[in-house]
Amino acid sequence: MAINVSLLKRICEVAGAPGYEKRVRDLVIEEVKSYVDELTVDNLGNVIALKKGNNNPEGKKAMVGAHMDEIGFIVTHIDDKGFVRFHTLGGFDPKTLTAQRVIIHGKQDIVGVMGSKPIHVMSQEERGKVAKTTDYFIDLGMSKEDVEAVVSIGDPITRERELIEMGNCVNCKSIDNRVSVFILIEALKNLKDHPYDVYGVFTVQEEVGIRGANVSAHSINPDFGFGLDTTIAFDLPGAQPHEMVTQLGEGVAIKIMDASTICDYRMVDFMKKTADQKHIQWQPEILTAGGTDTAGIQRMGKDGAISGAISIPTRHLHQVIEMADKDDIRGAIDLLIACLQNLDQHDWSH
């Protein structure tokens, strides 16, 4: 079954730096409000969409988390020539900033370009140095006076890049983690006959420390938890098989562990068996660096949650050319729905 690329495009292209997720939040609310029993926004800005279970006398709760924020920047200084300095919000490889357009979200959205010292005037020593984020500035092509009429210290900045289709893949900035926002929206729209209460949580500020997931899990105190996020697909020239983590087009990934979470072995087993029963192609994921909302979901409720994660293999992570396979995305939607519908069919004893 095909995926709704036009909806995914809208979700990926909308701006939402950590702490400034309002535009994404508004889109999410509009998409899911007609498909859930309750919809709330907490003090931090997490969107909590509840679909009540059909047969749930014990009040069991499953939480699914997908973060709305994307890596971005924040304005820290405007110099006498109108050039803007910034601080990063989330993790960046500095070399990926070269030759990029960005959008400063001030009194109005304004496009700028990432500038740095031209190679023509660099010394040999400078040419050999590894780039740092502090080597870059944003050029708006405007005077200081004109910049300050629109831009203020503290304004968020996002990267500019549209979503396109390439072969069987989609390519855009912010596939991490808007593809999971899309997956959770589609799952909530199509989820039926599930036994337990499902809390679909669109979280904030994951890229700066899993902050939204921590707060929402503490509030919900789920019995079961599912993180939704991208993962490394290093199936690229020069990669050794043991380095790849996952591969595009080889199926949705079932997380075993990352740097912040060892997934509950019972949940991993349940997810693998469910995928096999539903004929959903999957691959295992062990990511030795980096973490996701799964960590907050698993351990920030007062009782802890039996937790795992559905991951979407993605090439070129934390760049503006992130790439995911449409079949893997479809598999993630199908696996999430199947898991939520069959939570009461598994032996969860230790």
Side-chain angles (χ1 to χ4, degrees), residues 9-25:
K9 178 180 174 70
R10 287 176 56 216
I11 296 169
C12 286
E13 292 179 0
V14 70
Y20 299 89
E21 298 92 349
K22 176 176 169 49
R23 297 185 190 188
V24 191
R25 182 164 49 246

Side-chain angles (χ1 to χ4, degrees), residues 95-107:
K95 69 176 181 288
T96 65
L97 304 185
T98 300
Q100 298 298 334
R101 290 177 179 159
V102 296
I103 306 170
I104 299 181
H105 306 284
K107 291 184 178 66

Side-chain angles (χ1 to χ4, degrees), residues 187-203:
L188 289 172
K189 287 180 177 179
N190 293 281
L191 180 62
K192 299 173 183 176
D193 301 323
H194 53 288
Y196 302 148
D197 292 352
V198 172
Y199 291 80
V201 185
F202 301 86
T203 65

Side-chain angles (χ1 to χ4, degrees), residues 175-194:
I175 294 290
D176 177 14
N177 189 33
R178 302 294 170 65
V179 68
S180 297
V181 171
F182 168 77
I183 289 165
L184 184 49
I185 288 172
E186 293 291 86
L188 289 172
K189 287 180 177 179
N190 293 281
L191 180 62
K192 299 173 183 176
D193 301 323
H194 53 288

Side-chain angles (χ1 to χ4, degrees), residues 27-307:
L27 191 160
V28 166
I29 291 170
E30 184 62 31
E31 285 295 323
V32 304
K33 63 183 182 182
S34 300
Y35 297 91
V36 298
D37 297 302
E38 295 178 15
L39 188 66
T40 57
V41 179
D42 67 16
N43 288 339
L44 209 61
N46 298 301
V47 179
I48 302 172
L50 168 62
K51 291 194 79 164
K52 295 180 179 178
N54 298 327
N55 181 26
N56 193 19
E58 296 179 349
K60 295 285 188 181
K61 293 177 282 189
M63 175 178 167
V64 186
H67 72 86
M68 297 184 288
D69 57 312
E70 61 186 290
I71 55 172
F73 317 91
I74 192 167
V75 175
T76 59
H77 180 71
I78 302 168
D79 73 14
D80 290 340
K81 297 290 187 180
F83 296 113
V84 174
R85 294 287 181 171
F86 59 87
H87 180 68
T88 55
L89 297 175
F92 280 90
D93 179 352
K95 69 176 181 288
T96 65
L97 304 185
T98 300
Q100 298 298 334
R101 290 177 179 159
V102 296
I103 306 170
I104 299 181
H105 306 284
K107 291 184 178 66
Q108 63 190 56
D109 286 355
I110 183 168
V111 175
V113 296
M114 283 285 182
S116 60
K117 189 174 183 178
I119 194 170
H120 309 76
V121 295
M122 286 183 180
S123 66
Q124 281 299 121
E125 183 182 8
E126 288 174 323
R127 292 184 187 192
K129 286 183 177 179
V130 176
K132 305 185 296 294
T133 56
T134 51
D135 294 332
Y136 295 86
F137 53 85
I138 296 171
D139 184 356
L140 297 169
M142 298 162 60
S143 68
K144 177 182 175 68
E145 181 180 19
D146 289 341
V147 170
E148 289 184 331
V150 182
V151 177
S152 301
I153 305 303
D155 286 341
I157 307 164
T158 58
R159 301 158 300 154
E160 185 271 338
R161 189 62 64 99
E162 68 176 341
L163 183 141
I164 61 172
E165 296 181 66
M166 303 172 64
N168 197 50
C169 297
V170 288
N171 188 286
C172 191
K173 62 95 179 173
S174 309
I175 294 290
D176 177 14
N177 189 33
R178 302 294 170 65
V179 68
S180 297
V181 171
F182 168 77
I183 289 165
L184 184 49
I185 288 172
E186 293 291 86
L188 289 172
K189 287 180 177 179
N190 293 281
L191 180 62
K192 299 173 183 176
D193 301 323
H194 53 288
Y196 302 148
D197 292 352
V198 172
Y199 291 80
V201 185
F202 301 86
T203 65
V204 298
Q205 299 190 44
E206 187 273 351
E207 294 290 0
V208 290
I210 315 178
R211 299 172 186 178
N214 287 344
V215 169
S216 52
H218 180 74
S219 173
I220 294 167
N221 190 30
D223 300 282
F224 303 95
F226 297 87
L228 296 179
D229 212 328
T230 55
T231 191
I232 296 290
F234 186 38
D235 52 343
L236 302 173
Q240 298 299 310
H242 68 278
E243 299 176 305
M244 292 184 181
V245 185
T246 64
Q247 301 180 62
L248 250 62
E250 293 299 313
V252 61
I254 295 175
K255 186 184 293 291
I256 296 170
M257 67 163 285
D258 59 30
S260 64
T261 309
I262 298 174
C263 293
D264 193 297
Y265 68 92
R266 295 166 294 175
M267 181 60 79
V268 173
D269 181 58
F270 169 67
M271 293 169 69
K272 289 178 179 179
K273 288 179 177 177
T274 301
D276 288 341
Q277 290 168 359
K278 300 297 182 179
H279 306 291
I280 298 168
Q281 187 178 15
W282 64 274
Q283 55 187 310
E285 177 214 358
I286 293 180
L287 183 66
T288 56
T292 70
D293 278 346
T294 314
I297 297 169
Q298 183 183 51
R299 60 179 181 258
M300 293 308 291
K302 68 177 182 178
D303 299 317
I306 300 171
S307 296

